[in-house]
Amino acid sequence: MNNSRKLLRIAINDTWLFNSKNVCRFSTSNRKLNDKVYEYRAYYVKPEYVKSFVELSKQYMDIRMSHSKLTGYWISELGGINDMVHIWEYDSLSQRAGVRAGLAGDEAWMTNFIAKMMPWLIRQDNYLMKCLPGTDVVDPPNTGGVYELQMFSYHGKPLEDVSKSVQEITRSDATLLGSWYKIVGVLNTGFMLWHHPTPDNIVSSPYNGNPDAGITMVQSRMLLPVPWSPMK
């Protein structure tokens, strides 16, 4: 298989909430995102190419973002090194299939970005997700600060119960921006995305799960937004 066909195949297959000082709450008025599907993607970049990846993305990520909505794009600072984490929103899997096909046929994207960056990657992960029942994805309260992505397992508990437990979480000065459960990938697990005003707030306001509610924390990453991320 020649290189262009290999890259094409890879591209197709791969390719406000109120926050008081001590309590974070979900928005209950904005429901428009509840039926969306979200794709979590993580690119594990070879250390020597991280700077090149970021610079190349600055040049060409506008092409990718013209095809579908980007929720956020970050680089791992703690809990992962040289990892690019991004979340994309779709109306349906049919829309996603159309987006992937469109990208595979976008010569500027394939030639200028995919062909150059693929050799820089160690591996890629992706999961398909939906918002927990009754929750939405909301914007951070302000720019600056840092983000935290927590992966949790819920041991087969009903999603309504998991959602209720998540919405009752309190973390001082932290804003919960979104919570998802995976529908393709590692099942009975999900993500919570938090915004913190400072890195130290992650340490001073930890959440370590709720065994009584069946929620167990699996992993936490501190994330820094990249220049093209809608969540700054």
Side-chain angles (χ1 to χ4, degrees):
M1 183 182 295
N2 62 40
N3 288 337
S4 61
R5 287 187 177 181
K6 184 182 292 185
L7 287 169
L8 179 60
R9 183 173 178 181
I10 290 171
I12 292 174
N13 292 336
D14 160 77
T15 223
W16 185 251
L17 160 156
F18 173 79
N19 179 43
S20 68
K21 182 173 179 59
N22 294 311
V23 179
C24 61
R25 302 186 181 90
F26 276 96
S27 167
T28 57
S29 58
N30 178 8
R31 300 298 186 188
K32 65 181 180 179
L33 298 182
N34 282 1
D35 293 328
K36 306 288 186 179
V37 292
Y38 295 83
E39 183 179 8
Y40 164 95
R41 299 176 73 88
Y43 294 165
Y44 301 86
V45 183
K46 297 174 183 177
E48 64 269 30
Y49 292 116
V50 171
K51 183 177 179 181
S52 298
F53 182 95
V54 171
E55 292 302 318
L56 188 70
S57 297
K58 284 181 184 178
Q59 289 182 262
Y60 297 106
M61 195 55 62
D62 61 323
I63 297 177
R64 175 62 185 87
M65 293 168 67
S66 71
H67 285 263
S68 65
K69 182 178 178 180
L70 175 62
T71 299
Y73 205 121
W74 306 267
I75 184 170
S76 290
E77 176 70 8
L78 292 170
I81 300 176
N82 306 320
D83 302 346
M84 303 293 171
V85 174
H86 35 132
I87 298 174
W88 298 86
E89 177 190 303
Y90 299 98
D91 293 329
S92 64
L93 284 180
S94 295
Q95 186 208 1
R96 181 186 180 276
V99 168
R100 303 311 297 174
L103 288 168
D106 192 321
E107 184 176 353
W109 176 250
M110 296 298 296
T111 301
N112 296 319
F113 186 76
I114 294 295
K116 293 178 181 178
M117 74 87 170
M118 288 301 295
W120 300 345
L121 303 186
I122 300 170
R123 80 172 201 271
Q124 305 172 70
D125 287 334
N126 71 335
Y127 306 114
L128 189 69
M129 314 181 297
K130 294 197 75 173
C131 289
L132 284 172
T135 71
D136 302 299
V137 178
V138 297
D139 293 328
N142 48 57
T143 58
V146 299
Y147 294 79
E148 180 188 13
L149 189 67
Q150 292 184 314
M151 184 164 69
F152 63 92
S153 64
Y154 52 89
H155 311 298
K157 292 280 187 178
L159 288 173
E160 290 75 11
D161 293 349
V162 175
S163 180
K164 182 176 183 294
S165 296
V166 167
Q167 293 182 63
E168 291 174 350
I169 295 171
T170 60
R171 299 182 71 183
S172 178
D173 294 326
T175 302
L176 186 55
L177 305 179
S179 59
W180 300 268
Y181 66 98
K182 298 176 191 173
I183 55 178
V184 174
V186 183
L187 301 181
N188 293 319
T189 62
F191 287 113
M192 289 184 281
L193 178 65
W194 298 86
H195 178 269
H196 297 270
T198 66
D200 287 329
N201 197 67
I202 296 177
V203 179
S204 62
S205 62
Y207 177 71
N208 299 315
N210 182 349
D212 293 335
I215 295 178
T216 301
M217 305 315 297
V218 177
Q219 184 188 28
S220 177
R221 294 173 182 261
M222 188 176 85
L223 304 173
L224 303 179
V226 293
W228 59 91
S229 176
M231 291 189 177
K232 301 297 186 186

